[in-house]
Amino acid sequence: MEKINIFAHMQEMETQLEGMRNTLADWKQTVKELMEANQQLSLENEQLRRILKREAPLEVEQRLAETQTQLPSGEGQGEVVGEGYDNLARLYHEGFHICNVYFGHLRTEGDCLFCLSFLNK
Ligand SMILES: [Zn+2]
């Protein structure tokens, strides 16, 4: 009776360990995929920032400054005019975010309200 209980218990533990090993394997795979995606996004981000800096250096500095200081939108953005504005508008229509929130990322889900409100100023 006692022996049977012990064996049943060990059997149960073995099953649990097997399950944990499978879960750990899944997590390792997920982390690996996330790290690869992160690496790819970092490279893409770096490349896009280089392009933006070349296309609209003043706007990039202004955007970065705003991102760092977390200014509420609607303040201090009235002077975006002329060539810089055209460059940003073109980048937006080429599929990139130009808003504070996702600046420099590819737009993957159609129009962005943050970008549009910036363009409509
Ligand atoms: Zn956006």
Side-chain angles (χ1 to χ4, degrees):
M1 181 65 184
E2 185 71 13
K3 245 183 212 170
I4 290 171
N5 269 345
I6 288 172
F7 276 113
H9 191 60
M10 287 196 301
Q11 184 67 47
E12 193 186 324
M13 283 177 70
E14 197 173 18
T15 305
Q16 284 176 352
L17 283 171
E18 187 70 26
M20 286 170 74
R21 200 164 57 200
N22 287 337
T23 304
L24 189 59
D26 285 348
W27 285 1
K28 278 169 77 176
Q29 181 61 27
T30 303
V31 168
K32 184 168 164 274
E33 286 169 8
L34 286 173
M35 287 173 74
E36 284 169 359
N38 188 44
Q39 172 72 8
Q40 196 179 342
L41 287 171
S42 295
L43 287 172
E44 183 183 283
N45 196 24
E46 199 178 304
Q47 195 176 352
L48 289 170
R49 282 178 190 278
R50 258 204 304 275
I51 293 171
L52 277 172
K53 204 155 192 171
R54 194 183 62 218
E55 298 271 331
L58 290 176
E59 300 307 324
V60 169
E61 279 168 32
Q62 187 181 353
R63 300 269 90 193
L64 285 177
E66 283 171 11
T67 304
Q68 280 157 10
T69 55
Q70 293 292 321
L71 276 180
S73 60
E75 297 288 329
Q77 296 179 354
E79 64 275 10
V80 179
V81 288
E83 195 183 338
Y85 179 89
D86 291 343
N87 282 333
L88 284 177
R90 196 176 72 237
L91 282 168
Y92 179 77
H93 292 297
E94 283 171 357
F96 298 106
H97 283 280
I98 56 167
C99 59
N100 287 346
V101 188
Y102 302 112
F103 182 67
H105 290 268
L106 276 171
R107 286 192 295 115
T108 54
E109 294 177 0
D111 283 328
C112 168
L113 292 179
F114 299 113
C115 290
L116 288 177
S117 76
F118 173 70
L119 281 176
N120 289 331
K121 277 185 198 306

